[in-house]
Amino acid sequence: MKALPNILTGSRLVMALFMFVAFAAAAGAVPYYANRLEPEAQFALQRWAVYAFIVAAITDFFDGWLARKLDAETVWGAILDPIGDKVLVCGAILGLMSLGPQPMVVLPAGLILFREFTVSALREVGAGKGVKLPVTLLAKWKTTIQLTALAMELIVAAWGAFSLPDGTVLREVFELGAHGMLWLAAVITLITGFQYWDQTRKALSS
């Protein structure tokens, strides 16, 4: 049972990879397969990619909760968990871009990517100097809001794949909510990024 949290974390990486490949295939980016892609298969790939993202996002909560509940926190878990989060977020953003022009998504998504790569670099530099950057409560909420916002944006972008009514108030409200959540995620992402930058700066200058 104590291996379950790490299994969930590892499965998140696998599902993130599947999600990205499925979106890429649906967009016609896979050689040979692209020329034989029927519309129904394209929609099916989009649906399975969204399902994979949602399941992977749920594991983000349960692996940490189970690790604490089972007293099974490990070094590998501490390494793989943030990697799994970043791979899932980055893969979802790339998958979202593959679904077609997303003008309202480009800026907040780009800011999120900028922060994720910057903080990863800070952690790497800090680790070489013996500086640890503990995950803050706001950063945990940031991940939750990011994943929720991206799930909503993916559903909006793959709206037709779910046979949802287009050109309706439901679509407009859902899309507005998705964009609002993504911008909220971007703002919190930048705030936590600045906090990590400030922690690293103070630790390295002391």
Side-chain angles (χ1 to χ4, degrees), residues 4 7 11 19 50-51 74 150 160 173 181 187 201:
L4 185 57
I7 292 173
S11 71
M19 172 201 65
V50 174
Y51 295 151
T74 65
L150 286 171
V173 171
M181 282 291 289
V187 170
R201 179 185 61 81

Side-chain angles (χ1 to χ4, degrees), residues 96-134:
L96 187 59
M97 296 297 106
S98 75
L99 291 174
Q102 309 285 338
M104 298 300 293
V105 172
V106 172
L107 184 54
L111 292 173
I112 289 172
L113 289 177
F114 175 81
R115 181 269 187 194
E116 296 298 349
F117 286 114
T118 302
V119 170
S120 293
L122 286 175
R123 288 186 181 280
E124 186 174 347
V125 171
K129 303 290 185 180
V131 176
K132 292 184 178 180
L133 295 177

Side-chain angles (χ1 to χ4, degrees), residues 19-186:
M19 172 201 65
F20 173 70
V21 172
F23 275 133
V30 177
Y32 180 78
Y33 182 68
N35 296 330
R36 294 161 174 77
L37 187 63
E38 298 293 333
E40 186 53 41
Q42 183 181 29
F43 284 152
L45 284 167
Q46 291 177 6
R47 285 195 300 272
W48 281 107
V50 174
Y51 295 151
F53 175 82
I54 292 172
V55 173
I58 293 172
T59 67
D60 180 59
F61 168 77
F62 281 106
D63 60 359
W65 180 78
L66 283 172
R68 292 186 294 272
K69 193 77 173 177
L70 300 173
D71 191 25
E73 295 174 292
T74 65
V75 174
W76 271 113
I79 293 172
L80 289 176
D81 186 58
I83 293 175
D85 290 345
K86 286 175 173 52
V87 169
L88 183 60
V89 168
C90 294
I93 290 174
L94 290 173
L96 187 59
M97 296 297 106
S98 75
L99 291 174
Q102 309 285 338
M104 298 300 293
V105 172
V106 172
L107 184 54
L111 292 173
I112 289 172
L113 289 177
F114 175 81
R115 181 269 187 194
E116 296 298 349
F117 286 114
T118 302
V119 170
S120 293
L122 286 175
R123 288 186 181 280
E124 186 174 347
V125 171
K129 303 290 185 180
V131 176
K132 292 184 178 180
L133 295 177
V135 178
T136 64
L137 179 60
L138 184 60
K140 292 180 180 179
W141 275 105
K142 177 268 303 180
T143 301
T144 300
I145 295 172
Q146 269 186 0
L147 296 177
T148 302
L150 286 171
M152 293 175 69
E153 290 288 2
L154 288 171
I155 292 172
V156 169
W159 194 263
F162 293 95
S163 300
L164 295 169
D166 207 357
T168 62
V169 175
L170 173 64
R171 167 70 187 261
E172 293 177 2
V173 171
F174 197 88
E175 186 173 355
L176 184 62
H179 295 340
M181 282 291 289
L182 189 62
W183 268 108
L184 176 62

